[in-house]
């Protein structure tokens, strides 16, 4: 099945854009939400996290001990890399399982991932979209949505790859500057993907 990866910096509006694709009947896999779920439900991943970061990684009733893990990986790139090396392959497996359920009943699927390029998961997709927005707008949106300060948003932004770096790897762009219609941009891309998906099916 034809797969489209979609990403964008914090507050760019990638989830908002995905909701428009969903209205068009395109199923969306939300990688970050899936990651949180499988960290407690995938036995292989739970075992990996427990042996790497200790039994304290989970509470006695099986919930993730976010505080314990955050203390280990926060500002420690080597430990964060270890966690990512466990979680990313598990998310790939979850994406494949999720995708198999559609079995050509939909023209294509979308995978939304904040770290689409950083995690190499774009390599599992046929094409990619980068959602971008002006810095001030992203800042204001996240401050409003999460009720946090500008400094807190900037600290999160500093941990992400820049739009310039992501743009070099992306195939398509959606400009969510609240001037250009995102619905029209989604419709134009949807048309392209329907054609691509059909062409891919014919050539298989
Ligand atoms: P994150 O990476 O933090 O999850 P995101 O890229 O998924 O962010 P969204 O959650 O889609 O971004 O959007 C951030 C906020 O901005 C939301 O509250 C959303 O409703 C709002 N927003 C996004 N795009 C627009 C738009 N075009 N017009 C008005 N509000 C918007």
């Amino acid at each position: 099945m034809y797969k489209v990866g979609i990403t964008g910096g914090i507050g760019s509006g990638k989830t908002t854009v995905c909701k428009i694709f969903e209205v068009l009947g395109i199923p969306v896999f939300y990688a970050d939400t899936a990651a949180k779920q499988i960290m407690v439900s995938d036995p292989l991943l739970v075992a990996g996290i427990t042996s790497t970061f200790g039994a304290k990684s989970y509470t006695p009733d099986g919930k993730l001990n976010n505080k314990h893990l955050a203390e280990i990986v926060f500002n420690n790139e080597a430990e964060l890399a270890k966690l990512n090396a466990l979680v990313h392959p598990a998310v790939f497996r979850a994406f494949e399982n999720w995708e198999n359920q559609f079995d050509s009943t939909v023209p294509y699927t979308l995978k939304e991932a904040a770290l689409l390029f950083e995690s190499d998961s774009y390599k599992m997709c046929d094409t990619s979209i980068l959602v971008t927005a002006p810095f001030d707008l992203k800042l204001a949106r996240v401050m409003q949505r999460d009720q946090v300060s500008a400094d807190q948003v900037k600290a999160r932004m500093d941990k992400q790859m820049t739009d310039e770096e992501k743009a070099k790897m992306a195939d398509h762009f959606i400009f969510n500057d609240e001037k250009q219609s995102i619905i029209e941009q989604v419709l134009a891309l949807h048309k392209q993907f329907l054609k691509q998906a059909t062409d891919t099916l014919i050539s298989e």
Side-chain angles (χ1 to χ4, degrees):
M1 175 132 28
Y2 195 72
K3 302 183 235 338
V4 180
I6 179 163
T7 192
I10 177 170
S12 59
K14 56 193 169 299
T15 308
T16 306
V17 168
C18 285
K19 299 287 172 206
I20 304 173
F21 278 101
E22 283 187 307
V23 171
L24 297 172
I26 302 304
V28 182
F29 178 84
Y30 293 93
D32 302 335
T33 309
K36 283 186 195 129
Q37 285 166 355
I38 60 174
M39 281 171 92
V40 290
S41 64
D42 179 331
L44 206 64
L45 180 57
V46 172
I49 291 174
T50 307
S51 67
T52 311
F53 300 107
K56 269 175 98 185
S57 304
Y58 292 90
T59 61
D61 58 353
K63 291 199 182 100
L64 193 70
N65 184 346
N66 283 312
K67 193 169 171 280
H68 171 74
L69 277 180
E71 274 166 10
I72 297 174
V73 304
F74 196 73
N75 288 336
N76 186 329
E77 281 190 21
E79 294 299 324
L80 181 61
K82 278 190 211 166
L83 182 62
N84 284 339
L86 291 166
V87 175
H88 291 163
V91 175
F92 293 175
R93 290 197 296 275
F95 176 60
E96 272 173 15
N97 287 337
W98 173 86
E99 240 225 335
N100 285 338
Q101 72 181 294
F102 299 109
D103 195 26
S104 302
T105 53
V106 293
Y108 65 93
T109 59
L110 224 64
K111 180 183 195 183
E112 191 228 55
L115 302 180
L116 187 77
F117 296 121
E118 294 89 332
S119 71
D120 275 354
S121 69
Y122 73 99
K123 291 181 182 163
M124 288 177 76
C125 300
D126 297 285
T127 194
S128 61
I129 307 171
L130 175 65
V131 182
T132 62
F135 173 82
D136 289 347
L137 206 46
K138 289 192 283 192
L139 195 66
R141 282 175 186 161
V142 181
M143 286 170 67
Q144 164 82 20
R145 185 194 61 190
D146 299 348
Q147 294 296 302
V148 288
S149 70
D151 284 344
Q152 283 170 302
V153 182
K154 283 182 198 159
R156 283 197 234 163
M157 285 174 166
D158 285 347
K159 289 190 187 292
Q160 298 189 334
M161 213 187 234
T162 63
D163 274 0
E164 287 71 27
E165 289 170 294
K166 286 179 189 158
K168 288 183 198 147
M169 302 167 91
D171 300 312
H172 305 279
F173 299 88
I174 289 183
F175 302 101
N176 186 13
D177 56 5
E178 296 179 27
K179 290 187 187 124
Q180 305 167 70
S181 157
I182 49 173
I183 295 176
E184 276 172 28
Q185 294 179 74
V186 169
L187 286 174
L189 284 178
H190 180 60
K191 212 168 145 190
Q192 279 189 48
F193 297 149
L194 288 179
K195 183 172 182 322
Q196 278 300 129
T198 313
D199 291 350
T200 309
L201 262 185
I202 292 167
S203 67
E204 270 172 6

